[in-house]
Amino acid sequence: MKIVVTEAFFDKNTGEPYNRGEIFESDDKKRIKELRAGGYLASDAVEEVPESSEEKPDAEQTDQPPAETPPAE
């Protein structure tokens, strides 16, 4: 199960640091419950998104207009 970290912590089992906004992944329901009770994890699991469905915009395709270039002197 993948869950968003809501408060930074060091995992007591692995020593690995987790920062706010990162994803904590575990199948240990007891550990997840413990971390949620401590306020370290969000109450909902992260939905799985297949990598093939993620669309990454090309460098040239943005929502902002191109920057203006100053006139040559």
Side-chain angles (χ1 to χ4, degrees):
M1 185 178 295
K2 294 180 180 182
I3 306 152
V4 175
V5 174
T6 56
E7 192 65 40
F9 68 96
F10 285 90
D11 189 322
K12 70 178 184 180
N13 297 333
T14 65
E16 186 173 345
Y18 288 91
N19 293 309
R20 189 175 182 185
E22 291 183 343
I23 302 296
F24 177 81
E25 187 171 0
S26 176
D27 292 324
D28 185 347
K29 292 182 181 190
K30 183 179 177 183
R31 181 67 175 139
I32 291 169
K33 185 177 180 180
E34 181 181 6
L35 288 168
R36 282 181 171 159
Y40 297 103
L41 298 179
S43 58
D44 297 329
V46 175
E47 291 184 28
E48 297 286 331
V49 178
E51 289 184 32
S52 61
S53 68
E54 291 180 14
E55 293 183 22
K56 296 180 182 177
D58 292 337
E60 295 180 52
Q61 296 177 348
T62 63
D63 293 337
Q64 298 180 6
E68 292 183 29
T69 54
E73 293 184 29

Short mmCIF file of all heavy atoms in Angstrom, two decimals:
data_model
loop_
_atom_site.label_atom_id
_atom_site.label_comp_id
_atom_site.label_asym_id
_atom_site.label_seq_id
_atom_site.Cartn_x
_atom_site.Cartn_y
_atom_site.Cartn_z
N MET A 1 0.85 -1.17 0.00
CA MET A 1 0.00 0.00 0.00
C MET A 1 0.90 1.24 0.00
O MET A 1 1.91 1.28 0.70
CB MET A 1 -0.89 -0.03 1.25
CG MET A 1 -1.89 1.08 1.29
SD MET A 1 -2.98 1.03 2.73
CE MET A 1 -3.86 -0.47 2.44
N LYS A 2 0.54 2.23 -0.78
CA LYS A 2 1.29 3.48 -0.86
C LYS A 2 0.46 4.59 -0.23
O LYS A 2 -0.71 4.76 -0.56
CB LYS A 2 1.59 3.83 -2.32
CG LYS A 2 2.51 2.85 -2.99
CD LYS A 2 2.77 3.24 -4.42
CE LYS A 2 3.69 2.26 -5.09
NZ LYS A 2 4.00 2.65 -6.47
N ILE A 3 1.10 5.34 0.69
CA ILE A 3 0.39 6.39 1.43
C ILE A 3 1.28 7.63 1.49
O ILE A 3 2.50 7.53 1.67
CB ILE A 3 0.07 5.91 2.85
CG1 ILE A 3 -0.70 4.59 2.77
CG2 ILE A 3 -0.74 6.93 3.61
CD1 ILE A 3 -0.52 3.72 3.95
N VAL A 4 0.68 8.81 1.39
CA VAL A 4 1.41 10.07 1.44
C VAL A 4 1.81 10.37 2.89
O VAL A 4 1.01 10.23 3.81
CB VAL A 4 0.55 11.23 0.89
CG1 VAL A 4 1.27 12.56 1.05
CG2 VAL A 4 0.21 10.99 -0.56
N VAL A 5 3.06 10.78 3.06
CA VAL A 5 3.58 11.17 4.37
C VAL A 5 3.08 12.58 4.69
O VAL A 5 3.24 13.49 3.89
CB VAL A 5 5.13 11.13 4.38
CG1 VAL A 5 5.69 11.66 5.69
CG2 VAL A 5 5.63 9.72 4.10
N THR A 6 2.46 12.74 5.86
CA THR A 6 1.93 14.05 6.26
C THR A 6 2.83 14.77 7.25
O THR A 6 2.71 15.98 7.43
CB THR A 6 0.52 13.91 6.87
OG1 THR A 6 0.59 13.01 7.97
CG2 THR A 6 -0.47 13.41 5.84
N GLU A 7 3.73 14.04 7.89
CA GLU A 7 4.67 14.61 8.86
C GLU A 7 5.99 13.83 8.74
O GLU A 7 5.98 12.60 8.73
CB GLU A 7 4.11 14.49 10.27
CG GLU A 7 4.83 15.28 11.31
CD GLU A 7 4.74 16.78 11.10
OE1 GLU A 7 3.67 17.28 10.72
OE2 GLU A 7 5.76 17.46 11.31
N ALA A 8 7.10 14.54 8.64
CA ALA A 8 8.40 13.89 8.47
C ALA A 8 8.71 12.96 9.64
O ALA A 8 8.37 13.26 10.79
CB ALA A 8 9.50 14.93 8.33
N PHE A 9 9.34 11.83 9.33
CA PHE A 9 9.73 10.88 10.38
C PHE A 9 10.82 9.95 9.87
O PHE A 9 11.08 9.88 8.68
CB PHE A 9 8.52 10.04 10.83
CG PHE A 9 8.00 9.07 9.81
CD1 PHE A 9 8.39 7.73 9.83
CD2 PHE A 9 7.11 9.47 8.81
CE1 PHE A 9 7.92 6.83 8.88
CE2 PHE A 9 6.63 8.58 7.87
CZ PHE A 9 7.04 7.25 7.90
N PHE A 10 11.49 9.27 10.81
CA PHE A 10 12.42 8.21 10.50
C PHE A 10 11.73 6.91 10.83
O PHE A 10 11.22 6.73 11.94
CB PHE A 10 13.70 8.32 11.35
CG PHE A 10 14.63 9.42 10.90
CD1 PHE A 10 14.52 10.69 11.42
CD2 PHE A 10 15.60 9.16 9.95
CE1 PHE A 10 15.38 11.68 11.02
CE2 PHE A 10 16.45 10.16 9.54
CZ PHE A 10 16.35 11.43 10.07
N ASP A 11 11.71 5.98 9.89
CA ASP A 11 11.07 4.69 10.12
C ASP A 11 11.89 3.92 11.16
O ASP A 11 13.08 3.69 10.97
CB ASP A 11 10.98 3.90 8.82
CG ASP A 11 10.13 2.65 8.95
OD1 ASP A 11 10.18 1.99 10.01
OD2 ASP A 11 9.41 2.33 7.99
N LYS A 12 11.25 3.55 12.26
CA LYS A 12 11.97 2.86 13.33
C LYS A 12 12.43 1.47 12.92
O LYS A 12 13.37 0.93 13.49
CB LYS A 12 11.12 2.78 14.59
CG LYS A 12 9.94 1.84 14.51
CD LYS A 12 9.19 1.78 15.82
CE LYS A 12 8.07 0.76 15.75
NZ LYS A 12 7.35 0.70 17.02
N ASN A 13 11.79 0.89 11.92
CA ASN A 13 12.16 -0.46 11.48
C ASN A 13 13.32 -0.46 10.49
O ASN A 13 14.12 -1.39 10.47
CB ASN A 13 10.96 -1.17 10.85
CG ASN A 13 9.83 -1.38 11.84
OD1 ASN A 13 10.06 -1.48 13.04
ND2 ASN A 13 8.62 -1.43 11.35
N THR A 14 13.41 0.57 9.67
CA THR A 14 14.45 0.60 8.63
C THR A 14 15.45 1.73 8.82
O THR A 14 16.51 1.71 8.22
CB THR A 14 13.81 0.77 7.24
OG1 THR A 14 13.17 2.06 7.18
CG2 THR A 14 12.81 -0.33 6.94
N GLY A 15 15.08 2.75 9.62
CA GLY A 15 15.95 3.91 9.79
C GLY A 15 15.86 4.89 8.64
O GLY A 15 16.51 5.93 8.64
N GLU A 16 15.04 4.57 7.65
CA GLU A 16 14.91 5.42 6.46
C GLU A 16 14.11 6.68 6.79
O GLU A 16 13.06 6.62 7.42
CB GLU A 16 14.20 4.64 5.35
CG GLU A 16 14.14 5.39 4.05
CD GLU A 16 13.58 4.53 2.92
OE1 GLU A 16 13.51 3.31 3.06
OE2 GLU A 16 13.22 5.13 1.89
N PRO A 17 14.60 7.85 6.35
CA PRO A 17 13.85 9.09 6.58
C PRO A 17 12.74 9.26 5.54
O PRO A 17 12.90 8.89 4.38
CB PRO A 17 14.91 10.18 6.42
CG PRO A 17 15.89 9.59 5.46
CD PRO A 17 15.89 8.10 5.73
N TYR A 18 11.63 9.80 5.97
CA TYR A 18 10.52 10.13 5.08
C TYR A 18 10.16 11.59 5.31
O TYR A 18 9.93 12.00 6.44
CB TYR A 18 9.30 9.25 5.36
CG TYR A 18 9.49 7.82 4.89
CD1 TYR A 18 10.00 6.86 5.75
CD2 TYR A 18 9.17 7.46 3.59
CE1 TYR A 18 10.19 5.56 5.32
CE2 TYR A 18 9.35 6.15 3.16
CZ TYR A 18 9.87 5.21 4.03
OH TYR A 18 10.05 3.92 3.60
N ASN A 19 10.10 12.36 4.25
CA ASN A 19 9.74 13.78 4.33
C ASN A 19 8.29 13.97 3.95
O ASN A 19 7.70 13.16 3.21
CB ASN A 19 10.63 14.62 3.41
CG ASN A 19 12.06 14.62 3.88
OD1 ASN A 19 12.33 14.90 5.05
ND2 ASN A 19 12.98 14.28 3.00
N ARG A 20 7.73 15.06 4.41
CA ARG A 20 6.35 15.40 4.10
C ARG A 20 6.15 15.44 2.59
O ARG A 20 6.96 16.00 1.86
CB ARG A 20 6.05 16.77 4.71
CG ARG A 20 4.63 17.16 4.66
CD ARG A 20 4.46 18.46 5.40
NE ARG A 20 3.07 18.82 5.41
CZ ARG A 20 2.61 19.92 5.89
NH1 ARG A 20 3.42 20.81 6.43
NH2 ARG A 20 1.34 20.19 5.85
N GLY A 21 5.08 14.78 2.12
CA GLY A 21 4.77 14.76 0.70
C GLY A 21 5.32 13.55 -0.03
O GLY A 21 4.89 13.26 -1.14
N GLU A 22 6.27 12.84 0.59
CA GLU A 22 6.80 11.63 -0.04
C GLU A 22 5.81 10.48 0.13
O GLU A 22 4.81 10.61 0.82
CB GLU A 22 8.14 11.24 0.59
CG GLU A 22 9.25 12.21 0.26
CD GLU A 22 10.59 11.77 0.84
OE1 GLU A 22 10.64 10.92 1.74
OE2 GLU A 22 11.59 12.33 0.38
N ILE A 23 6.11 9.37 -0.50
CA ILE A 23 5.24 8.19 -0.44
C ILE A 23 5.87 7.13 0.46
O ILE A 23 7.04 6.78 0.29
CB ILE A 23 5.01 7.59 -1.85
CG1 ILE A 23 4.39 8.63 -2.79
CG2 ILE A 23 4.17 6.33 -1.77
CD1 ILE A 23 3.02 9.10 -2.39
N PHE A 24 5.10 6.65 1.42
CA PHE A 24 5.50 5.53 2.28
C PHE A 24 4.82 4.31 1.71
O PHE A 24 3.62 4.31 1.46
CB PHE A 24 5.06 5.78 3.72
CG PHE A 24 5.37 4.64 4.65
CD1 PHE A 24 6.63 4.48 5.18
CD2 PHE A 24 4.38 3.71 4.98
CE1 PHE A 24 6.92 3.42 6.04
CE2 PHE A 24 4.65 2.66 5.84
CZ PHE A 24 5.93 2.52 6.37
N GLU A 25 5.60 3.24 1.51
CA GLU A 25 5.03 2.02 0.93
C GLU A 25 5.27 0.84 1.87
O GLU A 25 6.40 0.60 2.30
CB GLU A 25 5.66 1.74 -0.43
CG GLU A 25 5.01 0.59 -1.15
CD GLU A 25 5.50 0.44 -2.58
OE1 GLU A 25 6.33 1.22 -3.03
OE2 GLU A 25 5.01 -0.49 -3.25
N SER A 26 4.19 0.13 2.21
CA SER A 26 4.29 -1.02 3.08
C SER A 26 3.02 -1.87 2.97
O SER A 26 1.95 -1.35 2.68
CB SER A 26 4.47 -0.58 4.53
OG SER A 26 4.48 -1.69 5.40
N ASP A 27 3.17 -3.16 3.22
CA ASP A 27 2.02 -4.05 3.28
C ASP A 27 1.70 -4.42 4.73
O ASP A 27 0.78 -5.19 5.00
CB ASP A 27 2.30 -5.33 2.48
CG ASP A 27 2.36 -5.05 0.98
OD1 ASP A 27 1.60 -4.18 0.51
OD2 ASP A 27 3.17 -5.71 0.29
N ASP A 28 2.47 -3.85 5.67
CA ASP A 28 2.29 -4.11 7.10
C ASP A 28 1.17 -3.22 7.64
O ASP A 28 1.39 -2.06 7.98
CB ASP A 28 3.60 -3.85 7.83
CG ASP A 28 3.55 -4.21 9.31
OD1 ASP A 28 2.44 -4.43 9.85
OD2 ASP A 28 4.63 -4.27 9.92
N LYS A 29 -0.04 -3.78 7.72
CA LYS A 29 -1.21 -3.00 8.13
C LYS A 29 -1.07 -2.47 9.56
O LYS A 29 -1.52 -1.37 9.86
CB LYS A 29 -2.48 -3.82 7.98
CG LYS A 29 -2.80 -4.09 6.52
CD LYS A 29 -4.07 -4.86 6.35
CE LYS A 29 -4.30 -5.11 4.86
NZ LYS A 29 -5.61 -5.62 4.57
N LYS A 30 -0.42 -3.23 10.41
CA LYS A 30 -0.22 -2.79 11.80
C LYS A 30 0.68 -1.55 11.84
O LYS A 30 0.41 -0.60 12.56
CB LYS A 30 0.40 -3.93 12.62
CG LYS A 30 0.59 -3.59 14.07
CD LYS A 30 1.17 -4.77 14.83
CE LYS A 30 1.43 -4.38 16.28
NZ LYS A 30 2.07 -5.48 17.02
N ARG A 31 1.76 -1.57 11.06
CA ARG A 31 2.69 -0.43 11.01
C ARG A 31 2.01 0.79 10.41
O ARG A 31 2.18 1.91 10.88
CB ARG A 31 3.94 -0.81 10.20
CG ARG A 31 4.96 0.29 10.10
CD ARG A 31 5.59 0.60 11.43
NE ARG A 31 6.65 1.59 11.28
CZ ARG A 31 6.86 2.58 12.12
NH1 ARG A 31 6.13 2.69 13.20
NH2 ARG A 31 7.82 3.45 11.91
N ILE A 32 1.22 0.59 9.37
CA ILE A 32 0.50 1.69 8.75
C ILE A 32 -0.48 2.32 9.75
O ILE A 32 -0.55 3.54 9.88
CB ILE A 32 -0.23 1.23 7.47
CG1 ILE A 32 0.81 0.89 6.39
CG2 ILE A 32 -1.21 2.28 6.98
CD1 ILE A 32 0.25 0.18 5.19
N LYS A 33 -1.18 1.48 10.47
CA LYS A 33 -2.12 1.97 11.48
C LYS A 33 -1.40 2.77 12.56
O LYS A 33 -1.86 3.83 12.98
CB LYS A 33 -2.87 0.79 12.10
CG LYS A 33 -3.94 1.19 13.07
CD LYS A 33 -4.70 -0.02 13.58
CE LYS A 33 -5.78 0.40 14.57
NZ LYS A 33 -6.53 -0.75 15.08
N GLU A 34 -0.24 2.28 12.98
CA GLU A 34 0.57 2.95 13.99
C GLU A 34 1.02 4.33 13.50
O GLU A 34 0.93 5.33 14.23
CB GLU A 34 1.79 2.07 14.30
CG GLU A 34 2.72 2.59 15.33
CD GLU A 34 3.91 1.66 15.56
OE1 GLU A 34 4.07 0.66 14.83
OE2 GLU A 34 4.69 1.95 16.47
N LEU A 35 1.49 4.41 12.26
CA LEU A 35 1.96 5.68 11.71
C LEU A 35 0.80 6.66 11.49
O LEU A 35 0.94 7.86 11.71
CB LEU A 35 2.72 5.45 10.40
CG LEU A 35 4.10 4.80 10.58
CD1 LEU A 35 4.65 4.34 9.24
CD2 LEU A 35 5.06 5.76 11.26
N ARG A 36 -0.35 6.15 11.08
CA ARG A 36 -1.53 7.01 10.92
C ARG A 36 -1.97 7.57 12.27
O ARG A 36 -2.32 8.74 12.38
CB ARG A 36 -2.67 6.25 10.26
CG ARG A 36 -2.50 6.10 8.78
CD ARG A 36 -3.65 5.37 8.16
NE ARG A 36 -3.58 5.41 6.71
CZ ARG A 36 -4.19 4.55 5.93
NH1 ARG A 36 -4.91 3.58 6.44
NH2 ARG A 36 -4.07 4.65 4.62
N ALA A 37 -1.96 6.72 13.29
CA ALA A 37 -2.36 7.16 14.63
C ALA A 37 -1.43 8.25 15.15
O ALA A 37 -1.87 9.15 15.88
CB ALA A 37 -2.37 5.97 15.59
N GLY A 38 -0.16 8.21 14.75
CA GLY A 38 0.80 9.22 15.16
C GLY A 38 0.76 10.48 14.31
O GLY A 38 1.49 11.44 14.57
N GLY A 39 -0.09 10.47 13.27
CA GLY A 39 -0.22 11.65 12.41
C GLY A 39 0.85 11.74 11.33
O GLY A 39 1.04 12.80 10.74
N TYR A 40 1.54 10.64 11.06
CA TYR A 40 2.61 10.66 10.08
C TYR A 40 2.16 10.32 8.66
O TYR A 40 2.84 10.65 7.70
CB TYR A 40 3.72 9.68 10.49
CG TYR A 40 4.38 10.08 11.79
CD1 TYR A 40 4.07 9.42 12.97
CD2 TYR A 40 5.28 11.13 11.84
CE1 TYR A 40 4.65 9.79 14.17
CE2 TYR A 40 5.87 11.52 13.03
CZ TYR A 40 5.55 10.84 14.19
OH TYR A 40 6.13 11.22 15.38
N LEU A 41 1.02 9.63 8.54
CA LEU A 41 0.54 9.23 7.22
C LEU A 41 -0.88 9.71 6.98
O LEU A 41 -1.67 9.82 7.92
CB LEU A 41 0.55 7.70 7.08
CG LEU A 41 1.90 7.01 7.18
CD1 LEU A 41 1.72 5.50 7.03
CD2 LEU A 41 2.87 7.52 6.15
N ALA A 42 -1.20 9.96 5.71
CA ALA A 42 -2.56 10.35 5.33
C ALA A 42 -3.51 9.19 5.59
O ALA A 42 -3.09 8.03 5.66
CB ALA A 42 -2.59 10.74 3.85
N SER A 43 -4.78 9.49 5.71
CA SER A 43 -5.76 8.45 6.01
C SER A 43 -6.12 7.61 4.79
O SER A 43 -6.62 6.50 4.94
CB SER A 43 -7.02 9.07 6.61
OG SER A 43 -7.57 10.01 5.72
N ASP A 44 -5.86 8.11 3.60
CA ASP A 44 -6.20 7.38 2.37
C ASP A 44 -4.95 6.94 1.64
O ASP A 44 -3.93 7.62 1.65
CB ASP A 44 -7.03 8.26 1.43
CG ASP A 44 -8.37 8.65 2.03
OD1 ASP A 44 -8.91 7.85 2.81
OD2 ASP A 44 -8.85 9.74 1.72
N ALA A 45 -5.04 5.80 0.99
CA ALA A 45 -3.95 5.29 0.17
C ALA A 45 -3.89 6.06 -1.14
O ALA A 45 -4.89 6.60 -1.60
CB ALA A 45 -4.12 3.80 -0.11
N VAL A 46 -2.72 6.11 -1.73
CA VAL A 46 -2.52 6.77 -3.03
C VAL A 46 -3.04 5.84 -4.11
O VAL A 46 -2.77 4.64 -4.09
CB VAL A 46 -1.02 7.05 -3.25
CG1 VAL A 46 -0.79 7.63 -4.64
CG2 VAL A 46 -0.49 7.97 -2.18
N GLU A 47 -3.77 6.39 -5.06
CA GLU A 47 -4.25 5.58 -6.18
C GLU A 47 -3.10 5.27 -7.11
O GLU A 47 -2.26 6.11 -7.37
CB GLU A 47 -5.34 6.33 -6.95
CG GLU A 47 -6.62 6.49 -6.15
CD GLU A 47 -7.71 7.14 -6.97
OE1 GLU A 47 -7.70 6.98 -8.21
OE2 GLU A 47 -8.55 7.80 -6.37
N GLU A 48 -3.09 4.07 -7.60
CA GLU A 48 -2.06 3.66 -8.55
C GLU A 48 -2.33 4.28 -9.91
O GLU A 48 -3.45 4.24 -10.40
CB GLU A 48 -2.04 2.13 -8.70
CG GLU A 48 -1.68 1.40 -7.42
CD GLU A 48 -0.21 1.50 -7.09
OE1 GLU A 48 0.60 1.63 -8.02
OE2 GLU A 48 0.11 1.45 -5.90
N VAL A 49 -1.32 4.88 -10.53
CA VAL A 49 -1.45 5.45 -11.86
C VAL A 49 -0.43 4.77 -12.76
O VAL A 49 0.77 4.86 -12.51
CB VAL A 49 -1.17 6.98 -11.84
CG1 VAL A 49 -1.25 7.55 -13.24
CG2 VAL A 49 -2.13 7.67 -10.90
N PRO A 50 -0.89 4.04 -13.76
CA PRO A 50 0.07 3.38 -14.66
C PRO A 50 0.96 4.40 -15.34
O PRO A 50 0.50 5.48 -15.74
CB PRO A 50 -0.82 2.68 -15.70
CG PRO A 50 -2.20 2.71 -15.15
CD PRO A 50 -2.25 3.81 -14.14
N GLU A 51 2.24 4.09 -15.45
CA GLU A 51 3.19 5.03 -16.04
C GLU A 51 2.86 5.39 -17.47
O GLU A 51 3.09 6.49 -17.91
CB GLU A 51 4.61 4.45 -15.98
CG GLU A 51 5.17 4.42 -14.58
CD GLU A 51 6.60 3.94 -14.55
OE1 GLU A 51 7.34 4.20 -15.53
OE2 GLU A 51 6.98 3.32 -13.56
N SER A 52 2.25 4.47 -18.21
CA SER A 52 1.94 4.72 -19.62
C SER A 52 0.86 5.78 -19.78
O SER A 52 0.77 6.43 -20.81
CB SER A 52 1.51 3.44 -20.31
OG SER A 52 0.34 2.93 -19.69
N SER A 53 0.03 6.00 -18.75
CA SER A 53 -1.05 6.98 -18.88
C SER A 53 -0.61 8.39 -18.48
O SER A 53 -1.33 9.34 -18.69
CB SER A 53 -2.25 6.57 -18.02
OG SER A 53 -1.93 6.66 -16.66
N GLU A 54 0.58 8.49 -17.88
CA GLU A 54 1.07 9.82 -17.50
C GLU A 54 1.56 10.53 -18.76
O GLU A 54 2.34 9.99 -19.53
CB GLU A 54 2.23 9.70 -16.51
CG GLU A 54 1.80 9.20 -15.16
CD GLU A 54 2.98 9.12 -14.20
OE1 GLU A 54 4.04 9.69 -14.51
OE2 GLU A 54 2.83 8.47 -13.17
N GLU A 55 1.07 11.75 -18.94
CA GLU A 55 1.50 12.52 -20.09
C GLU A 55 2.47 13.60 -19.64
O GLU A 55 2.15 14.39 -18.76
CB GLU A 55 0.30 13.16 -20.79
CG GLU A 55 -0.61 12.13 -21.42
CD GLU A 55 -1.75 12.79 -22.18
OE1 GLU A 55 -1.60 13.97 -22.57
OE2 GLU A 55 -2.77 12.13 -22.38
N LYS A 56 3.64 13.61 -20.24
CA LYS A 56 4.64 14.61 -19.90
C LYS A 56 4.70 15.60 -21.06
O LYS A 56 4.91 15.21 -22.20
CB LYS A 56 6.00 13.95 -19.69
CG LYS A 56 5.99 13.01 -18.51
CD LYS A 56 7.34 12.38 -18.33
CE LYS A 56 7.31 11.40 -17.18
NZ LYS A 56 8.56 10.71 -17.00
N PRO A 57 4.51 16.89 -20.77
CA PRO A 57 4.56 17.88 -21.85
C PRO A 57 5.97 18.02 -22.40
O PRO A 57 6.94 17.91 -21.67
CB PRO A 57 4.09 19.17 -21.18
CG PRO A 57 4.34 18.97 -19.74
CD PRO A 57 4.24 17.49 -19.49
N ASP A 58 6.04 18.25 -23.69
CA ASP A 58 7.33 18.52 -24.31
C ASP A 58 7.82 19.88 -23.85
O ASP A 58 7.04 20.72 -23.41
CB ASP A 58 7.22 18.52 -25.84
CG ASP A 58 6.92 17.14 -26.39
OD1 ASP A 58 7.22 16.15 -25.69
OD2 ASP A 58 6.36 17.06 -27.50
N ALA A 59 9.10 20.11 -23.96
CA ALA A 59 9.68 21.38 -23.53
C ALA A 59 9.05 22.55 -24.28
O ALA A 59 8.89 23.64 -23.76
CB ALA A 59 11.19 21.37 -23.73
N GLU A 60 8.68 22.32 -25.55
CA GLU A 60 8.12 23.39 -26.36
C GLU A 60 6.63 23.60 -26.12
O GLU A 60 6.09 24.64 -26.44
CB GLU A 60 8.37 23.10 -27.83
CG GLU A 60 9.84 23.09 -28.20
CD GLU A 60 10.04 22.80 -29.67
OE1 GLU A 60 9.41 23.49 -30.48
OE2 GLU A 60 10.81 21.89 -29.99
N GLN A 61 5.95 22.62 -25.57
CA GLN A 61 4.51 22.72 -25.35
C GLN A 61 4.23 23.13 -23.91
O GLN A 61 4.23 22.32 -23.01
CB GLN A 61 3.83 21.38 -25.63
CG GLN A 61 3.95 20.94 -27.04
CD GLN A 61 3.32 19.57 -27.25
OE1 GLN A 61 3.01 18.87 -26.30
NE2 GLN A 61 3.13 19.19 -28.50
N THR A 62 4.00 24.43 -23.70
CA THR A 62 3.69 24.93 -22.38
C THR A 62 2.46 25.82 -22.48
O THR A 62 2.05 26.22 -23.56
CB THR A 62 4.85 25.75 -21.78
OG1 THR A 62 5.08 26.89 -22.60
CG2 THR A 62 6.13 24.92 -21.69
N ASP A 63 1.89 26.15 -21.32
CA ASP A 63 0.73 27.02 -21.28
C ASP A 63 1.12 28.49 -21.33
O ASP A 63 0.27 29.36 -21.41
CB ASP A 63 -0.08 26.77 -20.00
CG ASP A 63 -0.71 25.39 -20.02
OD1 ASP A 63 -0.91 24.85 -21.13
OD2 ASP A 63 -1.02 24.88 -18.94
N GLN A 64 2.41 28.79 -21.25
CA GLN A 64 2.87 30.18 -21.23
C GLN A 64 3.34 30.60 -22.61
O GLN A 64 3.90 29.80 -23.35
CB GLN A 64 4.00 30.34 -20.22
CG GLN A 64 3.55 30.02 -18.80
CD GLN A 64 4.69 30.18 -17.82
OE1 GLN A 64 5.76 30.64 -18.19
NE2 GLN A 64 4.46 29.82 -16.58
N PRO A 65 3.11 31.87 -22.94
CA PRO A 65 3.60 32.35 -24.25
C PRO A 65 5.12 32.40 -24.25
O PRO A 65 5.75 32.47 -23.20
CB PRO A 65 3.00 33.76 -24.35
CG PRO A 65 2.74 34.16 -22.94
CD PRO A 65 2.45 32.91 -22.19
N PRO A 66 5.74 32.36 -25.42
CA PRO A 66 7.19 32.41 -25.50
C PRO A 66 7.72 33.76 -24.99
O PRO A 66 7.05 34.78 -25.09
CB PRO A 66 7.50 32.24 -26.98
CG PRO A 66 6.23 32.54 -27.69
CD PRO A 66 5.11 32.26 -26.73
N ALA A 67 8.88 33.72 -24.40
CA ALA A 67 9.49 34.95 -23.88
C ALA A 67 9.85 35.87 -25.04
O ALA A 67 10.28 35.42 -26.11
CB ALA A 67 10.74 34.60 -23.07
N GLU A 68 9.68 37.15 -24.82
CA GLU A 68 10.01 38.12 -25.88
C GLU A 68 11.51 38.37 -25.86
O GLU A 68 12.14 38.45 -24.83
CB GLU A 68 9.28 39.43 -25.63
CG GLU A 68 7.78 39.32 -25.79
CD GLU A 68 7.09 40.64 -25.62
OE1 GLU A 68 7.69 41.69 -25.90
OE2 GLU A 68 5.93 40.63 -25.19
N THR A 69 12.07 38.51 -27.06
CA THR A 69 13.49 38.82 -27.14
C THR A 69 13.63 40.31 -27.37
O THR A 69 12.87 40.91 -28.12
CB THR A 69 14.16 38.04 -28.31
OG1 THR A 69 13.43 38.32 -29.50
CG2 THR A 69 14.16 36.56 -28.04
N PRO A 70 14.60 40.91 -26.71
CA PRO A 70 14.77 42.37 -26.89
C PRO A 70 15.27 42.67 -28.31
O PRO A 70 15.96 41.85 -28.91
CB PRO A 70 15.83 42.73 -25.85
CG PRO A 70 16.52 41.46 -25.51
CD PRO A 70 15.55 40.36 -25.78
N PRO A 71 14.90 43.85 -28.83
CA PRO A 71 15.35 44.20 -30.18
C PRO A 71 16.86 44.39 -30.22
O PRO A 71 17.48 44.83 -29.26
CB PRO A 71 14.64 45.52 -30.48
CG PRO A 71 14.17 46.04 -29.16
CD PRO A 71 14.09 44.86 -28.24
N ALA A 72 17.45 44.03 -31.35
CA ALA A 72 18.90 44.17 -31.52
C ALA A 72 19.24 45.64 -31.67
O ALA A 72 18.53 46.40 -32.32
CB ALA A 72 19.36 43.40 -32.74
N GLU A 73 20.34 46.03 -31.08
CA GLU A 73 20.76 47.46 -31.16
C GLU A 73 21.84 47.67 -32.16
O GLU A 73 22.67 46.95 -32.44
CB GLU A 73 21.23 47.93 -29.78
CG GLU A 73 20.08 47.97 -28.82
CD GLU A 73 20.53 48.53 -27.47
OE1 GLU A 73 21.47 49.33 -27.41
OE2 GLU A 73 19.94 48.13 -26.49
#
